[in-house]
Amino acid sequence: MAKKTKTKLEKLADKLGYKPRLAWDVMTQADKKAAQKFAAEYMRFMAAAKTERLAVIEMVALAKRAGFKDLARSKTVGRVFSVFRNKTVAVFVPGQKPLTEGLRLVAGHIDCPRIDLKARPVFEDADLAWLKTQYYGGIKKFQWLARPLALHGVVITSSGKTVRVSFGEKDNEPVLTIPDLLPHLARKIQGEKKLSEAIEGERMNVLIGGLPLGDKETKERFKLHVLNVLHDKYGITESDFVSAEFQLVPAGGPREVGLDGSMIGAYGHDDRVCAYTGLRTVLEVKKPTYGALALGLDKEEIGSEGASSARSWMLHRLVADLLRLTGIEPSYDNVTRTMMNVRALSADVDAAVDPNYPEVHEKYNNARMGYGVCLTRHTGHGGKYGASEADAEFVGWLRGVWDKAGVVWQPAVMGKVDEGGGGTVAKFLAQLGMRVVDTGTPVLGMHSPFEVIHKADLYQVYRSFDAFLAAE
Ligand code: MN
Ligand code: MN
């Protein structure tokens, strides 16, 4: 078919107008192949990285395989990784210029919404054994009922022993579950309530056993049975839950989605997708002009609270260590100067338009699946409350970097102005004086047990981080 020649006005519209591009339309065959390969590698990571602690283990393994050394044991400049409290990870490659002149940071988070166990979780009721829970992060509670769950955790016993628990991921292993009430009886107690109130957190008890130990005379024999199983399997007792971190997550690994396999469904894309991609680009960067740093942070989903979050002084410590490593005195002056010269991507997912709910999205400014990496100038809600907002200078620079590298990107916001909102680590990095903007992967079903991303977007995120780290 002959190509239609463009009219003068069509050419003018091309020149003056702006429309985001569908990544698949502009990707070469080689790009498409590379996107499939990267997606497969990402899926392997996601199958193992089911909690922030497990993500740290996987990320360190990848760093070591790429020849990175532990910062704590390094005395010279080099490619290093650093772990803080087993929950955050950093990888760093020194640049040609001194750190005080600039640093490129890709900051993702590796914590995800989930269901935690309470300190005294085990009880029995109706001749069944159960666990008491408290959810972590923003979830729609009904999504976590009536589905196979795996239990991951770490226990520190009073004698100081560390016990790791992982249960329910293998195909031949039982799973745990939170049963939901049958529809026949749910008409009033759930059906007549608002969705947000229909499932109460205190009813989200996990079914863990149905066999007794002993005979009818034995007290709490269903509870005793599961305690006995836990003791046999892991050597732990009931009091050990007090000093444990247990998380229930959807059982099983990621899956390709769609008849064409174009997408990936998984628990935890938010935000292991950006944390993994940030890690990969730093592991692969050769000799950057500016130092390249990727972070996998914790506690983003509950507002970046605590020692392992973006708000922790851990970042100051890390910068001080990196300065020393690269031969610069880590004085207050140099640490603050370095912070203020950081160019950072708050690497986090954004909401893709869900065409089933057009009324919450703003069609001109919302991210779309398949249109590449999101560029989100601000998060927050309403009148930009809680947002740091990137300045035009930084966004203009980044846009130029991406255009030069042929990255497919799209401007994004989280829904209509008064509809809701969300936050990221951007504002905490901005407080340190960093130039920072939110960028990442569009997601369908964010915070659900099965979030969906597009392989083309994943690849563009990878390319966008790579171009950012390499930029002058
Ligand atoms: Mn996130
Ligand atoms: Mn989130």
Side-chain angles (χ1 to χ4, degrees), residues 109 270-271 300-301 348-349 423-424 447:
H109 67 90
D270 177 11
D271 178 42
E300 191 277 343
E301 293 296 354
D348 207 343
V349 299
T424 62
H447 284 204

Side-chain angles (χ1 to χ4, degrees), residues 108-113 269-272 274 300-301 347-350 414 423-425 438 446-447 451:
H109 67 90
I110 52 178
D111 66 315
C112 304
H269 285 315
D270 177 11
D271 178 42
R272 291 177 193 140
C274 297
E300 191 277 343
E301 293 296 354
D348 207 343
V349 299
D350 206 331
M414 177 88 87
T424 62
V425 301
D438 280 289
M446 196 194 294
H447 284 204
E451 303 174 312

Side-chain angles (χ1 to χ4, degrees), residues 83-399:
V83 172
F84 188 68
R85 303 276 160 89
N86 300 314
K87 293 182 182 189
T88 70
V89 61
V91 285
F92 173 73
V93 171
Q96 323 272 348
K97 299 206 181 211
L99 269 183
T100 42
E101 281 182 35
L103 174 63
R104 303 271 189 262
L105 165 61
V106 181
H109 67 90
I110 52 178
D111 66 315
C112 304
R114 59 178 192 248
I115 308 203
D116 289 343
L117 294 192
K118 291 189 180 183
R120 281 189 71 194
V122 192
F123 71 100
E124 70 168 61
D125 202 349
D127 290 348
L128 297 166
W130 306 83
L131 294 171
K132 297 292 303 175
T133 68
Q134 180 155 3
Y135 58 95
Y136 170 97
I139 64 167
K140 288 160 85 177
K141 287 173 238 158
F142 70 87
Q143 293 179 334
W144 296 75
L145 310 180
R147 60 177 306 131
L149 297 171
L151 181 68
H152 295 280
V154 61
V155 182
I156 311 297
T157 67
S158 58
S159 61
K161 209 173 91 193
T162 302
V163 182
R164 288 191 177 80
V165 173
S166 182
F167 184 84
E169 295 289 2
K170 296 189 202 103
D171 284 343
N172 58 356
E173 209 170 27
V175 294
L176 308 177
T177 193
I178 304 171
D180 194 7
L181 190 61
L182 65 168
H184 317 63
L185 298 178
R187 198 163 53 88
K188 281 192 209 150
I189 198 166
Q190 291 181 339
E192 290 177 7
K193 287 182 187 158
K194 289 202 300 189
L195 190 60
S196 59
E197 289 162 8
I199 312 294
E200 292 155 44
E202 215 56 73
R203 290 193 211 262
M204 294 179 71
N205 300 317
V206 186
L207 182 59
I208 58 159
L211 287 178
L213 194 65
D215 56 26
K216 286 177 191 163
E217 304 306 311
T218 315
K219 278 190 185 147
E220 294 195 298
R221 56 197 178 126
F222 291 87
K223 174 178 168 179
L224 192 60
H225 184 240
V226 294
L227 287 178
N228 201 43
V229 170
L230 283 168
H231 191 258
D232 282 350
K233 256 175 119 55
Y234 305 107
I236 56 173
T237 64
E238 191 177 8
S239 69
D240 288 328
F241 281 99
V242 173
S243 51
E245 290 171 24
F246 277 111
Q247 306 181 6
L248 288 146
V249 297
R255 299 288 298 265
E256 287 181 305
V257 170
L259 290 173
D260 54 7
S262 56
M263 294 164 282
I264 305 169
Y267 160 68
H269 285 315
D270 177 11
D271 178 42
R272 291 177 193 140
V273 61
C274 297
Y276 171 80
T277 309
L279 171 89
R280 281 286 305 267
T281 49
V282 170
L283 296 187
E284 288 162 19
V285 74
K286 292 292 179 259
K287 274 192 178 163
T289 307
Y290 296 98
L293 177 65
L295 290 173
L297 295 160
D298 183 33
K299 298 281 190 284
E300 191 277 343
E301 293 296 354
I302 55 167
S304 293
E305 307 286 350
S308 46
S309 78
R311 270 203 258 196
S312 164
W313 275 70
M314 148 195 93
L315 274 182
H316 292 74
R317 185 69 248 166
L318 181 66
V319 165
D321 283 341
L322 294 177
L323 283 168
R324 188 179 302 108
L325 187 80
T326 53
I328 301 170
E329 168 68 25
S331 61
Y332 182 79
D333 184 59
N334 282 333
V335 170
T336 50
R337 190 186 305 276
T338 303
M339 292 284 197
M340 301 228 174
N341 280 330
V342 172
R343 288 180 183 238
L345 302 183
S346 165
D348 207 343
V349 299
D350 206 331
V353 166
D354 181 340
N356 299 303
Y357 298 92
E359 57 272 59
V360 302
H361 303 294
E362 193 268 86
K363 64 181 176 185
Y364 302 111
N365 284 282
N366 244 141
R368 283 183 289 171
M369 293 284 277
Y371 279 76
V373 57
C374 299
L375 176 61
T376 309
R377 294 195 326 208
H378 68 84
T379 58
H381 61 97
K384 300 190 178 180
Y385 292 102
S388 52
E389 187 144 33
D391 59 38
E393 286 86 346
F394 184 49
V395 178
W397 172 81
L398 183 63
R399 182 162 83 102

Side-chain angles (χ1 to χ4, degrees), residues 14-35:
D14 282 351
K15 187 180 160 194
L16 300 184
Y18 167 68
K19 276 198 191 97
R21 298 175 298 169
L22 185 74
W24 211 249
D25 282 342
V26 291
M27 282 164 71
T28 63
Q29 281 309 317
D31 278 340
K32 290 174 183 175
K33 221 176 132 192

